Amino acid sequence: MFTLSISVTASAVDAVKRSLTRALPEVKSSHRCEALARGLGYRTYASLKADTDAGHHAVADGAAFTVYLAQHDFHGPGTALYQAVAKAALEQVAARYPTLTAGGFGIGEWQRDDTATGRRKRFDDERAELVSDHAAEPFLASLAFVARVERTKTIRPATNSYWLKHIAENYECRYPGGEKLGPVYVPNGLLIAAAIHAGFAVKPHTDNYGRETLNAGFNMGKASLYDLDCEIRPEGARAQARREEERRRALRRTYGSSVWV
C-alpha cells in the first residue's frame, strides 16, 4: 500500500480536476469538485481553492472521496482519485527534473541511424509518456514498493533504478481501499519518479564523458533492497546477487583487494 501526497497548487488542482472529468464524466462537475476537496482533506472546494497559494501538502484519501459521492447518489471509486492525483504528482516531478522521461534520464545513447530531429521527437514522446494516463498505476505501484525501502544518509553504490524497477513491477500490492494494484509493468522512469516523490535523493548515472544515462542511484540501503528482492522475486534476486558479486570481483581485479565496493 502507499501514501500519496501532493503539493496543493492551482495547476495541480486543475490537473486533478481534468483527470477526474475524463474518468467520471457521469458525475456532476460540482460534485466532482467537492468530492476532490474531501479526498484531499478539505471541508469544501472553496477552502481547497483558497489554499492553493499557501504551499501546503495534502494526502489523498480515496475513502473520503467515495463517501462524498455516494452521499449524492454517484459512484466514484477511490482508485479514480488516486490515479488523478498520481498524474498531477508526476507532472510536479517532471517540472523539477526536465530531462526525466518514462525511460529514465534522457533517451539513451545515440544510435547509428539517429538524427537530431528524431531524437527530439523521441524525447518529447517519452516525456509525454511520463505523465500520461496509464503512467499512474506504475507510479503508484513503485510508490508502494519504495515505501518499504530503508533510507541511508548518502546515495549508495549499486542502487540501480533499472534493477529496482524489476522488483517494483513484480510487487503484489493494493490500493489503500484494498483494490488490486500490482504486479504491473513499471518503466524505469516511473520508478525514478516515485522515488523522487517519496523524498529519496537521486543521482543520475553518467557515462565516461559525464553525460546522464537512463538509470539512477538513490540513498537506499542495499541490504534492505536485497531482502525485498528475495521476498518479491526470489529467482531475480539470486541473479542480481550473482551479477553484483561479479562486479565486485572485477573491481578488485582492477583496483586491488582494498577497494570499497
Side-chain angles (χ1 to χ4, degrees):
M1 202 165 63
F2 57 81
T3 299
L4 176 62
S5 65
I6 193 170
S7 177
V8 180
T9 65
S11 60
V13 171
D14 287 343
V16 176
K17 284 172 58 181
R18 288 193 298 271
S19 294
L20 289 176
T21 299
R22 291 194 299 274
L24 303 172
E26 70 284 359
V27 177
K28 288 176 60 177
S29 175
S30 59
H31 289 321
R32 278 198 307 267
C33 290
E34 292 299 334
L36 166 59
R38 293 354 182 247
L40 292 180
Y42 289 85
R43 295 184 62 186
T44 64
Y45 181 65
S47 62
L48 169 61
K49 290 288 286 183
D51 212 23
T52 54
D53 293 326
H56 293 160
H57 280 72
V59 176
D61 182 347
F65 176 82
T66 297
V67 166
Y68 178 86
L69 289 179
Q71 290 171 344
H72 294 81
D73 300 320
F74 289 105
H75 173 67
T79 54
L81 176 69
Y82 291 123
Q83 291 174 17
V85 174
K87 270 203 64 185
L90 279 167
E91 290 178 5
Q92 291 181 339
V93 171
R96 291 168 55 198
Y97 291 84
T99 62
L100 183 62
T101 71
F105 283 101
I107 54 171
E109 297 179 357
W110 278 74
Q111 304 301 313
R112 180 178 299 178
D113 57 349
D114 275 352
T115 64
T117 301
R119 285 183 66 83
R120 182 71 227 184
K121 183 179 186 307
R122 279 174 54 202
F123 177 81
D124 291 343
D125 289 346
E126 288 284 318
R127 281 285 284 182
E129 189 74 12
L130 179 68
V131 296
S132 65
D133 286 344
H134 50 269
E137 288 205 332
F139 172 75
L140 293 172
S142 298
L143 204 60
F145 166 67
V146 299
R148 298 187 58 192
V149 176
E150 177 189 359
R151 297 171 189 258
T152 58
K153 292 182 179 179
T154 58
I155 293 174
R156 309 300 294 172
T159 55
N160 188 311
S161 58
Y162 192 69
W163 166 37
L164 304 186
K165 80 104 177 176
H166 285 297
I167 310 175
E169 68 189 11
N170 284 279
Y171 185 36
E172 293 187 5
C173 54
R174 296 186 175 276
Y175 284 92
E179 301 89 343
K180 186 177 182 294
L181 173 56
V184 61
Y185 174 70
V186 173
N188 188 41
L190 272 299
L191 182 283
I192 295 172
I196 291 170
H197 184 74
F200 285 95
V202 60
K203 183 178 181 181
H205 291 177
T206 55
D207 63 17
N208 293 334
Y209 300 98
R211 299 173 299 198
E212 287 183 355
T213 60
L214 291 171
N215 302 327
F218 311 97
N219 60 323
M220 296 178 176
K222 194 160 61 174
S224 168
L225 292 171
Y226 277 131
D227 287 345
L228 285 169
D229 201 354
C230 288
E231 173 194 330
I232 293 168
R233 48 165 214 157
E235 291 303 317
R238 281 192 281 271
Q240 177 65 26
R242 287 194 297 270
R243 288 192 292 268
E244 180 66 11
E245 182 57 30
E246 289 167 2
R247 185 186 74 88
R248 291 195 189 97
R249 289 174 180 171
L251 286 173
R252 287 180 177 131
R253 283 195 299 269
T254 303
Y255 299 106
S257 60
S258 62
V259 67
W260 180 72
V261 291

